[in-house]
Amino acid sequence: AFFYDGANKIATGFKGLFNKEETTSDIKELEEQIIILKDKNRELETVIMKAPYLKKEYNLIKNTKYDLTKAKIASMDPDEWYKRFTINKGKKDGIKNGDILVGASEIQNNVYIEGLLGKVTDASNDSSRVISLNDEKFKVSFNILRNNESGVMGGTYDGELEGYMFDNNADVLLGDKLITSNSSDEYPPNIYIGEVSEVINDESNLKKIIKIKAAVDIKDLSNVFIIKR
């Protein structure tokens, strides 16, 4: 009886040991599955977050008249965040200084066009430096789509878009859409810039100043498109 009891206790001990090993193995397997599921969930969240822009991007590529080159934003200038950045395409891809950067913009319901982002300032072999239109050194002449009134706009020190009309009596309204001017040598004509968000009459300088909401928000992008000049 003593021998039987002892053997039974030993067998029970071994059984408990194996059960613990199985339990540990199961826990590890579950933890691995949880990690995989979390990664997949993050990927799905990223896709969902990007979905609106991916739709715009798809429709732009489908409808554009330009031979667009797609590039990724590789890095932002740490001193000029969102004003200056680097893309992963360069001279070996046919990119050169002065080439224009655009993004996909929905100008009205389900109508997608090129929205001005900036231009290449320093193309190297594998990458290119870009100045965006919200940089204070960026300037472009524009026309109002509604009536062809003209002016010039660019960035400000705080990263906003601002411009002024050449005629201080110009007919400009909130919501007016701006496009690049036909008279510009630097930019293709009729590229969408953005819309007027504020009109300020500066009586002291006899200027009509406008604030502008950009056609494309650089903060929402990871990809851009290049129009080669």
Side-chain angles (χ1 to χ4, degrees), residues 74-188:
S75 64
M76 289 284 175
D77 189 318
D79 297 321
E80 298 289 350
W81 201 256
Y82 295 120
K83 291 185 177 184
R84 302 189 180 201
F85 54 91
T86 301
I87 57 174
N88 68 340
K89 294 288 173 72
K91 290 179 180 177
K92 69 178 178 59
D93 306 291
I95 309 302
K96 59 186 180 298
N97 292 353
D99 283 350
I100 307 305
L101 263 75
V102 295
S105 177
E106 187 175 11
I107 194 169
Q108 61 186 57
N109 287 341
N110 296 316
V111 178
Y112 299 90
I113 60 174
E114 301 82 6
L116 185 63
L117 279 172
K119 66 178 179 180
V120 174
T121 57
D122 185 13
S124 61
N125 191 50
D126 297 308
S127 62
S128 300
R129 298 261 297 158
V130 173
I131 181 173
S132 70
L133 76 169
N134 61 344
D135 188 282
E136 60 271 15
K137 293 184 179 178
F138 187 98
K139 294 289 182 288
V140 60
S141 57
F142 66 81
N143 291 116
I144 295 176
L145 187 60
R146 176 174 59 88
N147 56 16
N148 217 39
E149 294 271 18
S150 57
V152 65
M153 61 77 60
T156 65
Y157 284 101
D158 56 5
E160 300 297 321
L161 299 184
E162 188 175 283
Y164 64 88
M165 308 304 299
F166 292 138
D167 180 358
N168 66 311
N169 294 312
D171 172 20
V172 54
L173 303 172
L174 294 181
D176 272 344
K177 291 177 169 44
L178 310 181
I179 55 174
T180 52
S181 171
N182 287 311
S183 62
S184 173
D185 293 328
E186 286 189 82
Y187 302 93

Side-chain angles (χ1 to χ4, degrees), residues 5 17 30 40 44-46 69 106 135 168 202 211:
D5 289 342
L17 179 62
L30 284 171
K40 286 183 176 179
L44 285 171
E45 285 177 350
T46 301
T69 299
E106 187 175 11
D135 188 282
N168 66 311
D202 185 351
K211 304 280 188 179

